[in-house]
Amino acid sequence: MKLYYAPGACSLADHIALIEGGFEFERERVDLKSKRTETGADFAAINHKGYVPALQFDDGEVLTENLAVLDWIAEGAPELAPEGPLGRTRLLEALAFISTEIHKGYKPLFVRGSEAEKAAARAAIANRYRLLADRMKGPFLLGGRPTVADYYLFVTLLWATKFEVEVPVALGELLDRLLERPAVQAAMEYEGLLRSAPPERRTRIA
Ligand SMILES: N[C@@H](CCC(=O)N[C@@H](CS)C(=O)NCC(=O)O)C(=O)O
């Protein structure tokens, strides 16, 4: 199995979860501009959508969409999913919110929108972080232990630091808690993120 990733991109969530879940996997870096991988392969031929994450199974089949990839990882590593009768449903609910309401909300900040668009994006994302913080069920998003949803949220919280998006206290503390985890540090180290940004919180707290 191979994870196609780009340093610091949303694929970092899958990278962390695969390590945390004890999966054996290979990694191949993708240059999102040239759409070439580190081995020179044409990434568009691997994932026709041209974006990460993409998880290629040993039979060649390729799984895309972060929500689906993280859900697949949680199925194989149930300790990364919430417990209880509604566990998987709550996980999908959280992943969908992070994907469609938070991750996509960053678009104007990634694509260098106008100042007005960027200010509106910052305000909208900060509001969505507040919605999550208000409903946190323990030290992690969905309870007493981290799930794959925490790792997806974690990546966006790193972006919050970079793009100066306000983060509620509870999510700033969650970021700190996750930064301490060996799997998080291992994935960040592999992606070269610890050298450029040491694992310390510099997030603006609301
Ligand atoms: N709908 C996709 C979006 C993934 C996505 O936006 N990936 C970004 C990195 S965080 C990317 O590869 N962007 C490059 C591109 O779209 O060309 C998902 O949820 O997995």
Side-chain angles (χ1 to χ4, degrees):
M1 170 165 78
K2 186 188 281 183
L3 175 69
Y4 288 90
Y5 75 96
C10 50
S11 48
L12 175 60
D14 311 272
H15 194 171
I16 295 167
L18 286 168
I19 296 174
E20 188 88 65
F23 290 82
E24 267 185 39
F25 66 105
E26 294 170 39
R27 299 164 266 207
E28 192 157 331
R29 196 177 63 249
V30 178
D31 180 332
L32 293 174
K33 286 206 178 87
S34 67
K35 306 290 180 198
R36 291 270 156 198
T37 77
E38 63 185 298
T39 64
D42 174 12
F43 184 57
I46 296 157
N47 175 11
H48 67 288
K49 295 171 179 168
Y51 50 61
V52 294
L55 190 64
Q56 187 168 43
F57 299 113
D58 292 344
D59 64 1
E61 205 168 322
V62 175
L63 182 61
T64 64
E65 300 303 322
N66 215 3
L67 188 158
V69 176
L70 290 169
D71 180 55
W72 182 87
I73 294 170
E75 253 193 296
E79 69 274 19
L80 298 182
E83 288 170 310
L86 271 184
R88 171 137 188 259
T89 307
R90 291 293 180 204
L91 182 64
L92 292 175
E93 182 183 38
L95 289 173
F97 186 77
I98 297 164
S99 173
T100 63
E101 304 297 333
I102 295 179
H103 179 172
K104 282 299 151 195
Y106 274 92
K107 196 163 185 188
L109 300 165
F110 280 129
V111 299
R112 299 202 182 92
S114 67
E115 283 311 312
E117 286 166 340
K118 288 196 281 190
R122 282 193 186 93
I125 300 165
N127 183 43
R128 287 162 192 160
Y129 281 142
R130 274 193 292 277
L131 295 178
L132 278 184
D134 289 348
R135 292 289 178 103
M136 262 175 77
K137 296 191 171 70
F140 297 99
L141 199 52
L142 298 173
R145 63 182 196 209
T147 70
V148 292
D150 289 273
Y151 297 128
Y152 197 0
L153 180 64
F154 170 79
V155 176
T156 77
L157 291 172
L158 294 180
W159 300 341
T161 306
K162 180 172 172 192
F163 294 115
E164 301 186 321
V165 174
E166 276 190 357
V167 165
V169 172
L171 296 193
E173 288 172 355
L174 173 63
L175 176 63
D176 284 346
R177 229 170 266 130
L178 293 171
L179 276 167
E180 284 168 12
R181 297 185 76 84
V184 172
Q185 297 210 4
M188 290 183 76
E189 172 70 32
Y190 190 93
E191 296 194 8
L193 302 173
L194 294 186
R195 284 183 288 280
S196 53
E200 64 191 26
R201 174 152 60 75
R202 284 177 285 131
T203 309
R204 285 156 49 121
I205 302 295

